[in-house]
Amino acid sequence: MRIQKAGIIAVVLALATAGATQAGVTADQAARLGKDLTPVGAIKAGNADGTIPEWTGGITRPPAGFRSGTFHPDPFAADKPLFAITPANAKDYQAKLTVGQVAMFAKYKTFKMNVYPTRRSASFSQAVYAATLKNATTAKSLANGEGVGGASLGFPFPIPQNGYDLIWNHKLKYKSTGGMRWSNQVAPTATGAYTLVRLREEFLGPYYKPGNSIESINNILLYFFQEVVAPARLAGNVLLVHETVNSAAAPRQAWIYNPGQRRVRRAPNVAYDNPGTASDGLRTNDMTDMFNGAMDRFDWKLVGSKEMFIPYNDYKAHSNSIKVKDLVRPGHLNPEYIRYELHRVWVVDATLKAGKRHINGRRTFYLDEDSYQIVAIDHYDGRGQLWRYSEAPNINYYEVPTVWATIETHHDLKSGRYISGLLDNEEKGPIDFSFQTNAESFSPQSLRQRGIR
């Protein structure tokens, strides 16, 4: 696989271990940001054959008529598919598909990827760009990649040196200081039957508050609250998480409230490969937001950068003009609502460390170069066999702005089942970034009061 940032990324054997504390890049390297590199470190130029255009700033102004708090209109609604990849012709495009995508075509005759013109729509605020430029020379990885120091607000490693840097860019991608969303999910049977699980979530991110730095936020990266609203048999269960920046210094803390017991209990198992909320075992805790939590059970290797077909600008799937039943199909979501484009992605291989435990022996992550959003993952079992394929159709949330998933889907290629989350199409609105709260609302003491129904 060819590394496309030769001269910026010296994939050095010493860095491949990613074990020692690593400082930021030189001022000369950082000076490329906003010039031949975008302000977050992607290659600004398009590719040689013109199928990937130059980045010219992304979406800097919402489409006419958009109001914050409403569903985001499609700025590319007039685009038509250039072609479709199907089981019949997938082999012709295999070089630009993930292993998991190839397996999806082999397993499902109904799976299809409608490929549209590439739109480099990713954008962030000028404050994020300025902070990212500063972070480039000051940010450093700590505790063998388990923590970050010397950064604030923006991406910590816009000129990444290894796999740890890239995953941290995903984890610290700007998401506003807080918000509320419906993370509704379905886990259809092989025939497509499903029960919608309604999940209401709140989050607060101290790292993203202007004026804060990693050193000033008391090691709390994110406060997270999740309540099951439906179905009735699960309603009232509440999860609270305090996600740390440096898990080696202090691991994640989690608590659960069960309405039947009416008590708050610590939940140390809300981490790693333990099953996620109401997931039927189809999603682990560390698969939320494609990846979250401690990184210590894996070695993270930067493989390189390549062009791939990935879900992108999926405003059609995001729309409130469709219902969940329009999306759900046996084996996979309705391909007519998912848009794919050709983009450059970073490829990171995570392999399980000797003596560590996880249901996955290896995972390959694909990160959009313009946003560091993880857009796809190939998951392997302990025997090295492909097990699951995950993907995250995304949009630009204009009001922030940020690029983030509008759906997350995880396919079990052995059982033929999948789980999709963030299905807010039938709610009053998508993520509400104007929803603001405070750290006290995420205290264990408040959990019982908030969980009583």
Side-chain angles (χ1 to χ4, degrees):
M1 188 174 292
R2 183 168 58 92
I3 294 180
Q4 305 229 14
K5 289 188 182 175
I8 300 174
I9 304 174
V11 183
V12 191
L13 291 177
L15 285 177
T17 64
T21 298
Q22 172 206 323
V25 299
T26 67
D28 286 343
Q29 288 175 307
R32 299 184 65 181
L33 298 172
K35 295 179 181 177
D36 64 309
L37 302 180
T38 73
V40 303
I43 299 172
K44 184 179 287 187
N47 63 0
D49 60 12
T51 51
I52 296 176
E54 178 186 7
W55 183 84
T56 57
I59 296 176
T60 58
R61 184 175 301 173
F66 169 71
R67 290 183 298 105
S68 181
T70 63
F71 286 87
H72 301 70
D74 187 353
F76 312 119
D79 287 355
K80 303 298 182 186
L82 300 173
F83 56 90
I85 305 175
T86 69
N89 65 4
K91 64 180 182 299
D92 298 331
Y93 301 96
Q94 190 164 335
K96 294 179 179 178
L97 299 174
T98 82
V99 176
Q101 288 171 339
V102 172
M104 290 289 291
F105 285 114
K107 187 172 183 66
Y108 301 109
K109 294 180 179 179
T110 52
F111 186 64
K112 180 172 70 169
M113 294 169 59
N114 288 318
V115 179
Y116 287 77
T118 298
R119 304 288 191 174
R120 295 182 70 178
S121 56
S123 63
F124 298 89
S125 71
Q126 292 303 315
V128 168
Y129 292 150
T132 299
L133 177 61
K134 181 179 179 182
N135 291 344
T137 56
T138 62
K140 55 186 178 293
S141 62
L142 304 172
N144 296 315
E146 278 304 289
V148 175
S152 63
L153 187 64
F155 294 99
F157 304 113
I159 302 178
Q161 305 290 302
N162 53 59
Y164 290 84
D165 289 358
L166 285 160
I167 299 301
W168 273 111
N169 283 346
H170 168 80
K171 291 172 68 174
L172 295 182
K173 180 184 57 160
Y174 186 75
K175 305 174 182 71
S176 182
T177 54
M180 187 280 290
R181 68 181 181 184
W182 291 94
S183 186
N184 305 340
Q185 66 183 28
V186 296
T189 65
T191 62
Y194 68 90
T195 298
L196 182 71
V197 179
R198 294 183 71 214
L199 299 167
R200 183 182 179 278
E201 299 176 343
E202 299 173 14
F203 60 94
L204 178 68
Y207 176 76
Y208 308 115
K209 184 177 180 180
N212 282 352
S213 68
I214 282 183
E215 286 71 25
S216 70
I217 59 177
N218 197 29
N219 200 26
I220 301 296
L221 171 62
L222 189 76
Y223 296 97
F224 177 78
F225 170 90
Q226 180 191 75
E227 179 183 11
V228 182
V229 177
R233 62 184 173 83
L234 299 175
N237 283 285
V238 176
L239 169 66
L240 174 67
V241 175
H242 292 181
E243 182 72 3
T244 56
V245 181
N246 187 334
S247 61
R252 162 190 292 174
Q253 297 184 72
W255 299 263
I256 57 173
Y257 172 77
N258 184 293
Q261 299 175 345
R262 290 186 174 271
R263 56 184 292 222
V264 175
R265 293 186 293 113
R266 283 190 174 271
N269 288 336
V270 178
Y272 299 112
D273 56 356
N274 287 288
T277 302
S279 66
D280 276 7
L282 295 168
R283 174 178 61 81
T284 60
N285 279 297
D286 64 4
M287 288 163 69
T288 300
D289 198 23
M290 298 300 276
F291 179 80
N292 74 93
M295 301 168 65
D296 60 329
R297 296 190 180 182
F298 291 83
D299 287 315
W300 302 80
K301 178 184 177 182
L302 168 58
V303 177
S305 174
K306 64 178 298 189
E307 297 177 6
M308 301 193 75
F309 295 111
I310 58 174
Y312 217 97
N313 290 311
D314 282 283
Y315 294 91
K316 188 182 293 187
H318 168 80
S319 173
N320 63 338
S321 66
I322 63 172
K323 298 185 181 299
V324 173
K325 66 180 179 63
D326 298 324
L327 283 166
V328 177
R329 292 291 183 271
H332 52 78
L333 294 180
N334 189 337
E336 299 306 324
Y337 291 104
I338 309 298
R339 173 180 176 132
Y340 292 85
E341 298 178 2
L342 183 68
H343 285 261
R344 286 184 291 250
V345 300
W346 290 105
V347 184
V348 175
D349 245 355
T351 54
L352 190 63
K353 292 179 177 179
K356 296 290 187 179
R357 184 191 64 80
H358 197 283
I359 60 173
N360 294 117
R362 173 189 166 203
R363 287 185 282 192
T364 303
F365 294 83
Y366 304 88
L367 295 84
D368 166 41
E369 73 157 349
D370 287 332
S371 66
Y372 298 103
Q373 169 68 42
I374 297 173
V375 288
I377 313 170
D378 296 329
H379 307 257
Y380 297 83
D381 62 21
R383 299 172 299 170
Q385 301 298 310
L386 183 68
W387 181 4
R388 290 171 169 163
Y389 165 68
S390 301
E391 67 177 24
N394 61 74
I395 66 167
N396 185 316
Y397 290 87
Y398 314 129
E399 67 271 46
V400 180
T402 191
V403 174
W404 206 1
T406 184
I407 299 176
E408 290 181 13
T409 300
H410 309 286
H411 296 269
D412 187 320
L413 293 162
K414 295 181 180 180
S415 70
R417 295 189 63 197
Y418 67 96
I419 186 168
S420 287
L422 307 180
L423 298 173
D424 54 13
N425 307 72
E426 297 178 54
E427 301 294 344
K428 292 182 179 179
I431 301 176
D432 180 3
F433 292 103
S434 68
F435 181 89
Q436 296 297 316
T437 183
N438 52 51
E440 288 71 30
S441 298
F442 295 88
S443 69
Q445 293 76 21
S446 70
L447 191 57
R448 186 164 182 258
Q449 287 76 19
R450 299 186 76 187
I452 293 174
R453 56 192 174 99

